Amino acid sequence: MAGSIGIFDSGYGGLTVLREIRQLMPEYDYLYLGDNARAPYGTRSFEVVYQFTLQAVRRLFDMGCPLVVLACNTASAKALRTIQQRDLPLIDPSRRVLGVIRPTAECIGNITQTRHIGIFATPGTIRSQTYDIEIGKLFPDIRVTGQACPMWVPLIENGEYNSDGADYFVKKNIDQLLTQDPDIDAIILGCTHYPLLFDKIRKHTPSHIHLISQGEYVAKSLADYFRRHPDMQARITQQGTIRFLTTEHPTSFNESATAFLDHPVTAEHIHL
Ligand code: DGL
């Protein structure tokens, strides 16, 4: 069965990943699903994030997607492995679900000189230690320090990312991270929402520290996946369309999504 690439996030953050994927591969069809009504996921338990993510993946499969990208670190950290190993073989072994953490972990080896890196992410992603584990497998010499930023996603979901309040919380978490490890020379923005705060994060981070937004790496990794799996690539329809679904009211989604994507968006409401 052929269909669109499904892109899932708890809310708007996955749009930063969609934007990069689409820039690299505009020929494909995309179906974006934001679970805005239940965002943020970052402070929710393992079990709840897993259940919500599985519902979203099933829905995107029902709508014909052969492949779903979890464009959400929290869902990738807490649900991806179980869905890949336990659910997918039962639902449909020919479909695929990919995450964003592995492609981001792969890029870090060439970027850090000090071999000390930091991760900004939701409390759920930091608690899961998924970045530490993935980076440890690839680059055992790199020291990874995580910093949970519980206020960043709510600031973004509420349209407050340009406010003075955002400056306060961004600076606070940067200072906390660099106090834990002053030798850090690269920081992964390990939440797909964070590119929206990029200017503020840059402003409060010493200029010698690299900031890594993951969209670009996830997009390249997906293109590489298609090169290695031409059978999957052949199942993705290619009319260059994009459709947006949200579990919240479409009007507020349309307004906020436009800021993320720089073009007008017309979303449809769905229940999960
Ligand atoms: N954008 C998501 C991530 O990458 C999560 C945000 C949230 O819902 O807490 O982790």
Side-chain angles (χ1 to χ4, degrees):
M1 183 177 173
S4 309
I5 298 173
I7 308 267
F8 168 69
D9 181 49
S10 59
Y12 300 114
L15 295 172
T16 64
V17 175
L18 171 68
R19 192 177 56 204
E20 299 289 337
I21 294 179
R22 203 157 175 254
Q23 198 162 311
L24 195 63
M25 296 175 282
E27 64 276 24
Y28 296 127
D29 294 317
Y30 295 93
L31 184 53
Y32 183 90
L33 168 53
D35 190 8
N36 302 76
R38 301 189 295 193
Y41 280 13
T43 44
R44 294 188 186 274
S45 69
F46 184 98
E47 190 53 31
V48 168
V49 172
Y50 163 66
Q51 290 298 344
F52 287 0
T53 305
L54 183 58
Q55 287 171 359
V57 167
R58 281 183 181 278
R59 176 59 63 92
L60 288 166
F61 281 172
D62 288 346
M63 296 180 79
C65 299
L67 169 81
V68 172
V69 177
L70 302 184
C72 174
N73 291 265
T74 310
S76 299
K78 294 189 163 192
L80 179 63
R81 183 126 320 162
T82 313
I83 291 176
Q84 283 175 333
Q85 292 177 357
R86 199 172 70 190
D87 300 303
L88 211 47
L90 300 173
I91 301 172
D92 181 349
S94 80
R95 307 222 200 184
R96 287 290 171 269
V97 181
L98 305 175
V100 289
I101 292 183
R102 178 79 187 197
T104 312
E106 282 170 357
C107 80
I108 196 75
N110 293 330
I111 296 175
T112 172
Q113 298 293 315
T114 62
R115 314 310 275 173
H116 288 239
I117 71 145
I119 314 285
F120 288 136
T122 64
T125 301
I126 295 297
R127 251 197 322 272
S128 74
Q129 297 197 315
T130 311
Y131 271 102
D132 312 51
I133 296 164
E134 290 298 332
I135 293 170
K137 280 189 224 156
L138 297 166
F139 311 106
D141 61 316
I142 292 181
R143 177 173 160 190
V144 181
T145 304
Q147 176 64 50
C149 308
M151 291 302 291
W152 294 12
V153 170
L155 284 166
I156 293 163
E157 288 286 319
N158 289 291
E160 291 288 335
Y161 49 91
N162 283 324
S163 68
D164 294 344
D167 274 290
Y168 172 81
F169 286 107
V170 165
K171 184 171 181 329
K172 177 177 173 183
N173 292 138
I174 291 170
D175 291 346
Q176 285 172 333
L177 176 68
L178 297 179
T179 304
Q180 287 189 71
D181 184 353
D183 294 327
I184 285 170
D185 70 347
I187 302 176
I188 291 174
L189 306 187
C191 172
T192 55
H193 281 66
Y194 295 174
L196 264 280
L197 281 172
F198 190 89
D199 291 346
K200 292 213 184 285
I201 301 170
R202 184 70 278 170
K203 176 173 146 198
H204 296 291
T205 303
S207 58
H208 71 280
I209 297 181
H210 296 268
L211 293 177
I212 299 154
S213 281
Q214 54 193 164
E216 173 193 340
Y217 298 100
V218 174
K220 284 187 190 145
S221 166
L222 184 60
D224 183 53
Y225 179 85
F226 284 142
R227 273 190 291 277
R228 288 182 289 111
H229 298 90
D231 48 327
M232 177 54 81
Q233 186 193 22
R235 291 170 66 190
I236 308 297
T237 50
Q238 300 197 29
Q239 292 182 9
T241 66
I242 180 162
R243 207 173 142 197
F244 297 92
L245 309 171
T246 176
T247 55
E248 247 303 340
H249 203 284
T251 312
S252 46
F253 185 91
N254 294 345
E255 278 165 23
S256 301
T258 302
F260 277 74
L261 291 173
D262 298 326
H263 62 74
V265 165
T266 308
E268 302 154 49
H269 178 260
I270 55 153
H271 259 302
L272 285 179

